[in-house]
Amino acid sequence: MWILIAISTISPLSMNIYLPSMAGMVTAFETTAGMVQLTMSLFLVSIAVSTILLGPMSDRFGRRPVVLWGLALYVLASVLCLLAPTIEALIAARILQALGGCTGIVLSRAIVRDLYERDKAASMIGYVTMGLAIGPMLAPVVGGLLDQFYGWRGGFYTMPILGVAVLAVAWFNLHETNFKRSSGGGLGVLWQNMCTVMREPLFWAFSMVVGFTSCVYFAFLGGAPFVAGNILGMPPGEMGFFFMFIAGGYIIGNFISGRIAERVGVLRMIVFGSILPAIAVAAVSGVLILDIGHPLALFVPMFFVGLGNGICLPSAVAGAVSAKAELAGAASGLAGSIQIGSGAVASALVAWMLSDTMWPTTAWPMVGTMIICVIASLMSVAAIKAFDSGSESA
């Protein structure tokens, strides 16, 4: 479990540690907020695209070699990020960094499914994601402090160091768990496996919950640095501290999943976990209507978004990966692509709407996107209940 936590933490940590520096990077690179946001949104797009191939590749070649090659690429790309002279070079390095780092997220889920049945897998994924959330929770705080002392590169100094450490841990301790590898056929077999997974309606129902529930968080992630910095006037260090509210809720939610998901069942966990973000987004909407400008009024409701995600996502991921258990890698990769791809769209859309040329002085574009995602998530939950006749009633 600790190895899976380690390889899974790299990518979300790289995504979160430099959030407090994004506003300062606009000045450092003499560029726009939209260009700086591309270091986040294209990072997510790279994950979304690469996970489509990484999962099936691990079904064919095994989990261990794909993880090791991915971590090696992550280390190389992290060095390139640190040395980037222009925003364009940094964006390119971030794309490579995402490609390497996301192997841990995708394949940790597949490894869990190699070892456990669906309901037990939901509990184990809950524990793994609870552990991996600790790093991203602390990352904005550390990144904010590093920004104050070393500028925007402060957070990027930690990435290659941690990458080397995790690669070493995986090299000596991560063993192969896929003993039913698909044979031969190259890309044709990989595509065939992917098509087999995509023909499962239940896979799509679970994956849509994964995607839209995550989008509530990613929409906030895309807009919060600019809302907090430009509208609320929060410095980077303070901003990083408030991001801990979301991660704290996510950790608690994953702990709850780890403790009770196997006993309660995935459907009940998904239903309850989907309701909490709806309540939280309604609360944020009320804050805007009442024009309450304190940071707590924005970040405290987001604690419940994190809590709901922590309760819902392990069960939804376990359901998606279990829809075709013999192709767990392909299912994990495609579900991860849906999750991160939809998140990239939501994050980039919100950042664009909050840019200087659109609506830079209001948080409604961010909150409106979150409302749409909550509604779509609840509709996807209804689809699960329709397709998964073998599940218990909610």
Side-chain angles (χ1 to χ4, degrees):
M1 185 183 297
W2 289 107
I3 298 170
L4 297 183
I5 290 171
I7 65 174
S8 300
T9 299
I10 285 293
S11 189
L13 185 144
S14 301
M15 186 169 61
N16 287 4
I17 196 169
Y18 82 113
L19 288 178
S21 302
M22 291 182 75
M25 290 166 65
V26 175
T27 303
F29 284 107
E30 298 181 349
T31 185
T32 64
M35 285 294 291
V36 171
Q37 180 59 32
L38 287 178
T39 63
M40 171 69 71
S41 56
L42 291 185
F43 182 92
L44 296 173
V45 169
S46 178
I47 293 176
V49 173
S50 58
T51 51
I52 295 176
L53 291 176
L54 290 173
M57 285 176 63
S58 74
D59 288 333
R60 171 66 181 88
F61 300 108
R63 316 295 187 214
R64 174 181 163 84
V66 176
V67 169
L68 294 180
W69 278 106
L71 291 175
L73 176 60
Y74 171 88
V75 172
L76 174 62
S78 297
V79 174
L80 295 178
C81 287
L82 190 59
L83 300 177
T86 65
I87 189 63
E88 292 81 6
L90 179 60
I91 291 170
R94 288 280 289 173
I95 291 172
L96 291 177
Q97 189 184 49
L99 171 60
C102 74
T103 55
I105 295 178
V106 176
L107 299 187
S108 63
R109 298 169 174 180
I111 289 170
V112 168
R113 188 59 185 88
D114 288 339
L115 303 175
Y116 302 102
E117 295 301 318
R118 189 176 81 170
D119 288 351
K120 180 64 174 178
S123 288
M124 297 306 296
I125 290 174
Y127 282 128
V128 170
T129 50
M130 178 187 71
L132 73 88
I134 295 175
M137 178 184 73
L138 299 177
V141 179
V142 174
L145 294 175
L146 290 172
D147 180 90
Q148 292 181 7
F149 290 101
Y150 303 105
W152 72 266
R153 284 187 171 87
F156 285 90
Y157 284 125
T158 64
M159 298 180 191
I161 296 173
L162 290 176
V164 170
V166 172
L167 176 58
V169 168
W171 179 272
F172 290 107
N173 297 284
L174 181 64
H175 305 295
E176 186 57 63
T177 60
N178 179 18
F179 301 110
K180 299 179 180 179
R181 303 178 197 176
S182 55
S183 58
L187 292 176
V189 169
L190 299 183
W191 174 247
Q192 183 180 0
N193 291 345
M194 188 66 67
C195 290
T196 300
V197 172
M198 290 191 291
R199 285 194 290 267
E200 292 289 332
L202 187 57
F203 166 81
W204 285 108
F206 279 116
S207 295
M208 289 301 101
V209 172
V210 172
F212 286 119
T213 300
S214 300
C215 273
V216 179
Y217 165 71
F218 280 114
F220 182 80
L221 195 67
F226 302 104
V227 171
N230 299 335
I231 299 176
L232 299 179
M234 297 170 61
E238 183 182 359
M239 190 189 311
F241 171 79
F242 278 99
F243 269 101
M244 293 179 66
F245 278 95
I246 313 169
Y250 189 61
I251 290 172
I252 294 171
N254 278 286
F255 177 76
I256 293 172
S257 290
R259 295 287 292 179
I260 69 174
E262 184 180 8
R263 182 173 69 255
V264 172
V266 298
L267 186 55
R268 289 188 178 93
M269 298 295 291
I270 290 171
V271 169
F272 183 67
S274 298
I275 291 173
L276 285 176
I279 297 172
V281 172
V284 173
S285 301
V287 165
L288 292 188
I289 292 172
L290 296 174
D291 195 23
I292 302 175
H294 196 279
L296 286 175
L298 176 65
F299 283 92
V300 168
M302 293 304 300
F303 169 87
F304 294 96
V305 170
L307 180 65
N309 279 9
I311 292 172
C312 172
L313 287 178
S315 291
V317 168
V321 173
S322 299
K324 207 69 178 175
E326 66 273 20
L327 296 175
S332 177
L334 185 55
S337 179
I338 292 169
Q339 178 183 13
I340 302 301
S342 57
V345 172
S347 176
L349 177 63
V350 169
W352 173 72
M353 289 190 291
L354 290 174
S355 67
D356 295 337
T357 58
M358 297 294 288
W359 301 287
T361 59
T362 177
W364 273 114
M366 177 182 73
V367 176
T369 304
M370 293 166 66
I371 291 172
I372 294 172
C373 294
V374 161
I375 294 172
S377 176
L378 294 174
M379 294 174 63
S380 300
V381 172
I384 290 177
K385 296 179 69 176
F387 287 123
D388 193 14
S389 58
S391 289
E392 69 282 4
S393 300

